[in-house]
Amino acid sequence: MADADLVLEGGGVKGAALVGAITALTSAAEPYTLHRVAGTSAGAIVASMLAAGYSAGELRTIMTELDFSQFEDNPGIFARHFREIGEGLGLILHEGLFEGRFLHDWIERILAARGVRTWGDLRDDDPGSSLPPEQRYKLVVIVSDVSRGRMLRLPWDYRDLLGVDPDTQPVADAVRSSAGIPFFFRPFRLACSPGVSHGKGEILGTDGGMLSNFPVSIFDRTDGKPPRWPTFGVKLSARLSLAHTPWDENADSIQLAKSLLATMQRAHDQVFVDQPSVASRTIFVDTTGYNATDFHLTQADKEKLFDHGQAAGKKFLGKWNWVKWQQGDYTTLR
């Protein structure tokens, strides 16, 4: 058995591809034990289930059999007549097209089945970690605090930035916030101290991908000691090139908004991914042709995404060499 931490990129309904990569890691000739996991959006959903104790096989069943159309819950009148009225008007008058209650309750139910309800259930007693005791959890999810314009690393930032005890807060609340794709899901109201929220007692949390869709460095040691094991990343895209996405000069305002959002999600993390030390420990899964907000993926589509993730994971492991990476030899690993 080998050891590793894992960071999962967000990607909406493409979570089956993440599970495929996890399957490759955990079923390798020398299978990996994944100690800590972090993620954003869909990555947060899969990471939370992994931290709760679900096996790769169980994750595959959950993510491929789930009917994503159930996420389209309680739409307002403009969402129900989205195409007839016009996309722009619907987005202006609503915080999001869908309430996201089904998404929250589904996550809550899945985690509770493994005894995980609050962050106290995910405490990680790991004295060998460089993290301070108050940050020793099996899971970290990224949330965008749109009330105050900042990134939250939950549960790490609950006490200092939200003024509440992380061990009392529901894990499902944080995961639902992180998975709240802008324009599609309404922001989630996260509890916080009135003292840090102008007396309101809550902030609006939404898709962590707005600020960091791939927090790959989150578990890297900061105490100057060599890492005990690698932190792998799984990214739901092929390696980015300068000609990554052709721009349509006749694009309308909605297409422009989507492009701006995609650029914002990629730009922050691309600085890290461009570094050879990061690219060489990242599994790149090509999900070209699949949209993060396609809530009507077929069973065949989900199986294909899983297969892409598993194939990418196996390809990565065929090149990976922990000793060479520690020595700074990244050329043969990319």
Side-chain angles (χ1 to χ4, degrees):
M1 297 287 288
D3 301 292
D5 293 329
L6 186 66
V7 176
L8 303 175
E9 186 185 37
V13 299
K14 298 184 287 186
L18 298 173
V19 178
I22 292 169
T23 300
L25 292 171
T26 57
S27 63
E30 187 179 5
Y32 281 92
T33 296
L34 302 173
H35 292 267
R36 297 172 297 187
V37 283
T40 300
S41 194
I45 294 174
V46 174
S48 70
M49 292 188 286
L50 198 58
Y54 283 94
S55 68
E58 290 171 324
L59 290 178
R60 178 179 185 178
T61 299
I62 292 170
M63 296 304 293
T64 57
E65 293 186 356
L66 176 65
D67 179 4
F68 290 112
S69 68
Q70 296 176 94
F71 290 164
E72 299 175 312
D73 60 350
N74 194 26
I77 185 173
F78 290 107
R80 289 195 295 269
H81 302 285
F82 195 49
R83 298 185 185 281
E84 291 80 1
I85 295 177
E87 292 177 321
L89 186 59
L91 295 179
I92 290 172
L93 298 181
H94 290 271
E95 294 174 332
L97 295 176
F98 306 112
E99 182 181 11
R101 169 55 58 181
F102 175 86
L103 174 59
H104 177 275
D105 291 350
W106 173 73
I107 295 166
E108 185 176 54
R109 186 170 61 253
I110 288 288
L111 297 181
R114 292 301 165 90
V116 174
R117 294 175 175 80
T118 68
W119 285 96
D121 297 319
L122 290 176
R123 276 284 185 179
D124 185 24
D125 183 17
D126 182 9
S129 170
S130 65
L131 295 173
E134 63 272 16
Q135 291 186 351
R136 292 178 186 171
Y137 292 85
K138 297 177 182 177
L139 172 69
V140 181
V141 302
I142 305 301
V143 173
S144 295
D145 173 357
V146 295
S147 296
R148 298 177 299 180
R150 66 188 309 159
M151 183 175 76
L152 299 175
R153 305 161 303 166
L154 301 180
W156 293 359
D157 292 329
Y158 266 117
R159 196 176 301 277
D160 290 342
L161 298 184
L162 298 183
V164 295
D165 179 1
D167 290 353
T168 66
Q169 299 304 304
V171 178
D173 288 3
V175 177
R176 158 61 180 89
S177 296
S178 182
I181 302 172
F183 309 141
F184 288 89
F185 293 112
R186 297 166 196 173
F188 190 85
R189 298 180 185 278
L190 281 169
C192 69
S193 167
V196 299
S197 57
H198 302 289
K200 294 181 179 179
E202 63 183 20
I203 57 99
L204 291 180
T206 191
D207 193 341
M210 294 174 61
L211 299 178
S212 182
N213 206 35
F214 187 50
V216 67
S217 63
I218 197 164
F219 295 130
D220 290 352
R221 295 193 77 106
T222 57
D223 59 358
K225 295 181 180 179
R228 296 174 293 173
W229 50 67
T231 296
F232 295 135
V234 182
K235 197 162 172 52
L236 295 179
S237 60
R239 293 174 184 270
L240 188 65
S241 66
L242 292 177
H244 180 68
T245 304
W247 171 248
D248 181 2
E249 61 183 13
N250 297 315
D252 59 26
S253 58
I254 299 299
Q255 290 171 310
L256 174 60
K258 290 180 178 178
S259 180
L260 289 171
L261 179 62
T263 299
M264 180 169 55
Q265 290 177 322
R266 287 196 301 262
H268 176 273
D269 300 312
Q270 194 60 40
V271 173
F272 297 102
V273 178
D274 285 340
Q275 298 174 10
S277 62
V278 173
S280 58
R281 56 175 162 133
T282 299
I283 300 172
F284 292 90
V285 184
D286 190 352
T287 57
T288 302
Y290 292 98
N291 193 314
T293 55
D294 183 359
F295 299 111
H296 298 273
L297 286 178
T298 66
Q299 182 69 22
D301 287 329
K302 288 179 277 190
E303 292 288 352
K304 189 173 182 180
L305 283 166
F306 174 88
D307 291 341
H308 283 187
Q310 187 172 32
K314 289 180 177 179
K315 181 180 179 181
F316 168 83
L317 290 173
K319 297 180 179 180
W320 174 252
N321 186 301
W322 174 226
V323 174
K324 286 187 176 181
W325 190 90
Q326 289 178 293
Q327 295 171 343
D329 180 5
Y330 313 124
T331 57
T332 60
L333 307 179
R334 299 170 66 190

